[in-house]
Amino acid sequence: TPDGPQRIRGLAGSGKTIVLALKAAYLAATKPGWRIAVVFYSRALDQQFRDLIRRFYFEQKNDEPDWSRISVMPAWGSPSSPGLYAEIASANGQTPRTFIWARQTFGQDLAFQGTCDELMGLVKGKEIEGPYDAILIDEAQDLPVSFFRLAYGFCREPKRIAFAYDELQTLSEASMPAVGELFGVNG
């Protein structure tokens, strides 16, 4: 588990989700004091991640994981299923935006990007460190750069963020930006 961002790249079906679930289970088993966030773009991955983490953790510890230390959530979320964006907004004293509001304000294709860009502008310069020792992000090709910068600011030092993506499945650009550009840091 390196300090700082870790890139996991692979084609569809190559096992990126499984690698992130294994990483979450391993960290939960070997780092008992850590808080871990597992984040994804599509809500359909929620139960799959929970099942995989449970199974992999059980293989290591013969027990159920402590779900109070592992947060499995979508990137954005909704009122019934909070996501990392909403958690970051709330921690910074902002009311999380809804998809309906964002779609009306920024348009269908730029709803999440516009919402994350807006929050970046509101929290710029604030030093609010989040509760997570590691943030694992799946389907990274579908998330805006501003989301990664928000996640980076919400992760404790030394910013252990693993992100998995498939450049051929991106909804917007041809490739992922360099790590320094993605997180707004050198490296």
Side-chain angles (χ1 to χ4, degrees):
T1 304
D3 293 346
Q6 179 183 32
R7 185 187 309 238
I8 300 168
R9 187 169 77 180
L11 298 174
S14 63
K16 299 176 299 294
T17 299
I18 291 171
V19 167
L20 288 178
L22 274 167
K23 184 177 272 297
Y26 171 79
L27 291 174
T30 60
K31 308 291 185 188
W34 282 21
R35 291 275 326 272
I36 303 154
V38 179
V39 181
F40 40 85
Y41 183 75
S42 169
R43 286 191 221 163
L45 285 177
D46 186 274
Q47 194 58 50
Q48 182 180 6
F49 263 117
R50 290 178 194 280
D51 292 344
L52 288 169
I53 292 167
R54 177 178 284 116
R55 187 173 76 196
F56 295 146
Y57 187 89
F58 192 84
E59 287 175 9
Q60 293 182 40
K61 292 289 194 174
N62 203 29
D63 200 0
E64 182 76 13
D66 179 356
W67 290 106
S68 70
R69 295 187 313 104
I70 305 169
S71 298
V72 178
M73 67 183 108
W76 191 333
S78 68
S80 63
S81 175
L84 188 62
Y85 155 80
E87 193 173 325
I88 295 168
S90 295
N92 282 279
Q94 302 298 318
T95 301
R97 300 293 193 180
T98 65
F99 174 73
I100 294 168
W101 179 90
R103 185 181 60 206
Q104 291 171 345
T105 305
F106 303 112
Q108 178 78 24
D109 294 339
L110 297 176
F112 193 45
Q113 178 181 333
T115 303
C116 289
D117 290 350
E118 176 192 54
L119 183 57
M120 277 292 301
L122 294 170
V123 302
K124 194 168 188 128
K126 288 186 179 180
E127 294 291 329
I128 296 181
E129 187 175 68
Y132 298 109
D133 298 286
I135 298 177
L136 314 178
I137 303 170
D138 201 7
E139 303 176 312
Q141 73 275 357
D142 297 330
L143 299 167
V145 168
S146 50
F147 176 80
F148 287 94
R149 292 185 180 177
L150 290 166
Y152 188 83
F154 207 56
C155 189
R156 292 181 182 151
E157 290 290 344
K159 308 293 187 184
R160 292 179 189 94
I161 300 174
F163 61 103
Y165 68 98
D166 177 353
E167 286 182 329
L168 300 178
Q169 284 190 332
T170 183
L171 296 176
S172 58
E173 297 179 16
S175 66
M176 290 292 294
V179 171
E181 180 184 346
L182 194 60
F183 294 104
V185 297
N186 295 331

